[in-house]
Amino acid sequence: MMPLFFAQADPPAQTDRVALFMFLAFVAATLVITYFSARKSKGSSAYFAAGRRITGWQNGLAVAGDYMSAASFLGIAGMIALNGYDGFMYSVGFLVAYLTVLFIVAEPLRNAGKYTMADLLAYRLKPRPVRAMASLSTLTVSIFYMIAQMVGAGALVKLLLPAISYEQAVIGVGVLMVVYVVFGGMIATTWVQIIKAVLLMSGSIFLSILVMAKFDFSVMKFFDSLTAISSTAADGTEVTRNFLTPGLLFKNPWDQISLGLALVFGTAGLPHILIRFYTVPDARTARSSVVWAMVIIGLFYIMTTFFGFGAASLLGPDFINAHGGTNMAAPELARALGGNIFFAFISAVAFATILAVVAGLTISASTSFAHDFFTNVIHHGREHRPGEEVRVARITAFVVGALSIGIAIILGPTVNVAFLVGLAFAVAASANLPAIVLSIFWKRFNTTGAVCGLGVGLVSSIALILVSPDFMKENPIFPLKNPALLSMPLGFLGAILGTLFTHEPSSEDKFTELEVRANTGLGAEKATEH
Amino acid sequence: MRLAIARDMSSPDNAPAAPDWDAIARDPAFRILLADKIKFLVPATIFFVIYYFALPVLVGFYPEFMSREVFGSLNLAYLFALSQFFMAWILAGLYVVVARRWDRDSDAVLKKLGR
């Protein structure tokens, strides 16, 4: 099939105005939500956990909104559009990962914890060392992930709205996320994520329908068109490839296996996802919210078939490369099929996507610092003044925002930060997950084990990234892009050896209590009254 | 953390003092509940991990085999990747079904012990 060519009806300036208008409409809506949330965000439970009154389907949408980053929306669509099948295979792990969340983590966490991942670990272990390590790991994961999002946001807004500079975009995104979190806390963050999920799904469904309309809604016609996609190779020759064939992008299978480990086991250790389960009334609602999230996330990634492959077939890789590359495949497809208004809408969706994720990261970092580090490590679990914990969280959110803006501006739009996302997942899988799993299932597990597991997982993930092909261009010491294949077994090994070399009878005694709490919900934190 | 729990326990809806965790943990019905959970979770987790990692392994090491077209232009690689979504949804559905039974069992344990 020949790539279609589309006349550009409107001058770019007008597209800019429409897109800017939609950006501003979204921002205005979120600020109204923040205003109303601010009045309800009184007290720790309201501020950190939205009063635990979010319903199952709402939290499912919010988890999806917290999770699906611009990298998965625009990045995966672009990977499929330029290299076919391999991009689609990449997207599978993002859904399968939720089986780990559903089976192992969501319900025990909700039953035994209060505001953070560390609550579950501190239960039966000595709280101060465990919380200090867990907080360090949470801050590392959240800040790495945040910087990746911020640099991506700046680069993206620049492509979508050329009138806005990289620095302006980074500052804009950073200021908005700080405003949501400082004033609106978890309630505002939740609603920003819900609106984003609805917008993202609407945009994806509409885009998929427009693509399929071009193929008279025949799935076979659609897939037939993918068997011969022509593009220009690096040496200038024309090549025709079957885009359903694996191996056009990924060359080393071990890279995919290692990345798969990081995704499938790391998602259940991502602090910004885990804290969402504290916003619902009980463990049963936490369960139903994972199921809702799986429906939404699964449908979304299946739809990448239509708009990712659709862009390959209808626009062609050469057109996409000439119009902004990977990240622009979905917006350009929207422009080609639905005009400048739809392009502007998809751009606004991408912007909403970024904001929802960075807001989730900001509140996860600030909750962990305030609750784990400030209240529990420094102040031994007591608030010296009422409302102190929330105040510390607000200040932390501000500092995290300022830091992220600063780092993103220093790095600039050209630095490739994709590895930071892989690193965040790797740390989550190698440090957080072993500690969580062993804490729930292993009676013998103790404080030394948790601190060793968290430490070894964190340090080995970072160290292996530094000697990976992303950093050492020639002859990397570690051959894989994602460290999880080695760092995750190391994290488990650290946790197990640390445990076996020490004795801590109190941790074994308290295991009984955790076991009962995690499995029955007895004594779990309750939702606040209206 | 400990303080917060103590505070919760003293609220009016939760009249009794700290629950006797050991008594619940020793209860045969509670042990059966835990054994039931393990009986589902361990095989289900092993299954989905193998099913998922079969994808990068087969596609990465046997690309020719996975490129075989089985249904029009649709090849094994695409169909297997697509099947992962349904595998995840089906397992999640099964989990919800068995978890409802666990909910009843756990409520029964608590009720029996006067909670």
Side-chain angles (χ1 to χ4, degrees):
Chain A
M1 178 156 183
M2 287 289 291
L4 304 178
F5 289 96
F6 301 87
Q8 223 167 313
D10 302 322
Q14 194 186 338
T15 318
D16 261 19
R17 274 203 297 279
V18 179
L20 194 61
F21 173 76
M22 289 195 191
F23 275 36
L24 292 177
F26 174 75
V27 168
T30 55
L31 290 177
V32 169
I33 288 170
T34 307
Y35 175 75
F36 285 105
S37 309
R39 295 166 30 171
K40 291 190 206 156
S41 287
K42 302 277 186 285
S44 289
S45 165
Y47 183 82
F48 292 124
R52 310 190 199 282
R53 293 221 315 269
I54 304 293
T55 67
W57 65 269
Q58 288 170 346
N59 196 40
L61 278 169
V63 168
D66 202 6
Y67 188 60
M68 295 188 290
S69 60
S72 40
F73 176 39
L74 303 177
I76 290 180
M79 271 164 80
I80 299 175
L82 293 178
N83 301 288
Y85 175 81
D86 284 1
F88 182 65
M89 182 180 83
Y90 180 82
S91 71
V92 168
F94 290 95
L95 174 69
V96 174
Y98 275 84
L99 287 173
T100 318
V101 177
L102 180 66
F103 288 176
I104 300 175
V105 182
E107 294 175 52
L109 185 84
R110 176 62 188 82
N111 274 336
K114 201 172 171 190
Y115 302 131
T116 62
M117 173 189 86
D119 286 343
L120 180 71
L121 308 179
Y123 215 90
R124 45 182 294 228
L125 309 175
K126 293 199 184 77
R128 295 182 71 213
V130 170
R131 279 190 192 271
M133 273 314 283
S135 188
L136 181 66
S137 165
T138 297
L139 289 171
T140 309
V141 170
S142 300
I143 288 171
F144 282 167
Y145 205 90
M146 175 106 70
I147 291 165
Q149 296 292 323
M150 296 281 274
V151 172
L156 193 67
V157 172
K158 218 178 107 196
L159 279 174
L160 297 169
L161 280 176
I164 295 178
S165 74
Y166 172 82
E167 287 79 11
Q168 287 168 329
V170 168
I171 293 171
V173 167
V175 167
L176 278 171
M177 79 187 184
V178 168
V179 167
Y180 298 153
V181 173
V182 168
F183 296 105
M186 193 48 136
I187 303 175
T189 305
T190 303
W191 285 100
V192 169
Q193 289 169 344
I194 291 174
I195 295 180
K196 167 268 186 83
V198 171
L199 283 176
L200 181 62
M201 290 308 279
S202 316
S204 305
I205 291 169
F206 193 53
L207 192 50
S208 302
I209 291 173
L210 290 182
V211 167
M212 289 315 285
K214 288 278 172 199
F215 297 92
D216 309 318
F217 294 98
S218 157
V219 177
M220 290 332 281
K221 242 191 207 174
F222 174 68
F223 283 109
D224 285 342
S225 80
L226 302 173
T227 54
I229 302 283
S230 301
S231 57
T232 313
D235 57 6
T237 53
E238 175 105 347
V239 288
T240 300
R241 299 178 294 173
N242 180 349
F243 259 38
L244 291 167
T245 312
L248 300 183
L249 177 62
F250 300 141
K251 301 302 176 195
N252 179 1
W254 290 106
D255 267 332
Q256 296 321 298
I257 293 167
S258 192
L259 179 72
L261 272 173
L263 290 180
V264 167
F265 296 107
T267 301
L270 288 178
H272 67 292
I273 299 298
L274 297 180
I275 59 168
R276 288 235 48 90
F277 298 115
Y278 292 126
T279 65
V280 295
D282 51 33
R284 286 165 206 187
T285 319
R287 177 196 307 154
S288 79
S289 60
V290 184
V291 174
W292 276 107
M294 286 182 74
V295 170
I296 295 158
I297 293 167
L299 285 175
F300 172 79
Y301 284 109
I302 287 183
M303 282 192 290
T304 59
T305 297
F306 301 115
F307 52 83
F309 284 122
S313 176
L314 296 172
L315 301 176
D318 289 348
F319 180 89
I320 296 163
N321 277 326
H323 291 79
T326 317
N327 281 332
M328 290 303 280
E332 286 296 339
L333 182 68
R335 195 203 302 271
L337 297 176
N340 283 335
I341 302 282
F342 195 38
F343 172 84
F345 177 72
I346 289 293
S347 306
V349 167
F351 182 65
T353 292
I354 294 165
L355 275 177
V357 174
V358 292
L361 293 166
T362 308
I363 198 161
S364 118
S366 54
T367 304
S368 179
F369 185 81
H371 179 64
D372 294 327
F373 199 75
F374 186 80
T375 303
N376 282 292
V377 175
I378 298 181
H379 284 180
H380 295 264
R382 271 185 299 276
E383 271 193 303
H384 287 184
R385 277 180 300 268
E388 187 180 51
E389 199 168 61
V390 172
R391 196 159 54 246
V392 172
R394 289 187 158 129
I395 296 167
T396 314
F398 187 82
V399 172
V400 165
L403 262 178
S404 309
I405 293 173
I407 296 175
I409 287 178
I410 291 167
L411 287 176
T414 48
V415 175
N416 182 0
V417 287
F419 72 90
L420 282 174
V421 175
L423 178 57
F425 274 93
V427 171
S430 315
N432 300 354
L433 189 85
I436 293 171
V437 168
L438 295 176
S439 176
I440 300 175
F441 292 102
W442 194 26
K443 186 171 184 170
R444 176 80 171 72
F445 192 51
N446 62 27
T447 306
T448 316
V451 171
C452 289
L454 286 164
V456 170
L458 185 62
V459 171
S460 64
S461 301
I462 295 174
L464 287 171
I465 282 269
L466 291 177
V467 295
S468 77
D470 274 325
F471 269 87
M472 305 176 74
K473 298 293 174 210
E474 278 159 41
N475 303 321
I477 296 169
F478 185 68
L480 303 178
K481 290 191 171 124
N482 194 292
L485 191 63
L486 184 57
S487 62
M488 192 177 143
L490 285 177
F492 268 103
L493 199 68
I496 292 169
L497 289 181
T499 302
L500 293 179
F501 278 113
T502 48
H503 264 287
E504 190 181 325
S506 67
S507 147
E508 293 187 39
D509 293 344
K510 286 213 75 185
F511 178 72
T512 316
E513 185 180 330
L514 178 69
E515 197 177 39
V516 174
R517 280 177 181 272
N519 287 292
T520 65
L522 186 60
E525 295 284 331
K526 300 247 185 326
T528 53
E529 298 298 319
H530 281 264
Chain B
M1 181 82 213
R2 298 290 301 137
L3 274 178
I5 291 149
R7 216 168 30 236
D8 268 14
M9 288 294 140
S10 62
S11 69
D13 338 308
N14 246 328
D20 186 350
W21 306 108
D22 290 321
I24 303 170
R26 275 194 308 269
D27 191 88
F30 181 73
R31 301 316 312 176
I32 291 172
L33 168 66
L34 290 192
D36 278 351
K37 284 196 174 185
I38 295 295
K39 243 182 267 169
F40 176 85
L41 291 180
V42 171
T45 303
I46 293 172
F47 174 80
F48 91 73
V49 168
I50 292 176
Y51 197 92
Y52 171 68
F53 284 99
L55 179 68
V57 169
L58 288 173
V59 164
F61 293 104
Y62 307 96
E64 286 81 20
F65 173 72
M66 294 304 280
S67 300
R68 276 192 4 197
E69 291 177 356
V70 284
F71 191 69
S73 48
L74 280 176
N75 57 23
L76 267 180
Y78 182 83
L79 290 174
F80 189 45
L82 188 64
S83 78
Q84 301 269 345
F85 291 87
F86 294 92
M87 180 276 291
W89 282 332
I90 290 168
L91 273 191
L94 284 176
Y95 176 84
V96 168
V97 171
V98 293
R100 282 203 192 112
R101 204 176 62 224
W102 300 337
D103 289 344
R104 283 197 296 276
D105 293 349
S106 113
D107 287 346
V109 171
L110 295 184
K111 203 170 167 212
K112 189 173 73 181
L113 294 166
R115 290 275 160 194

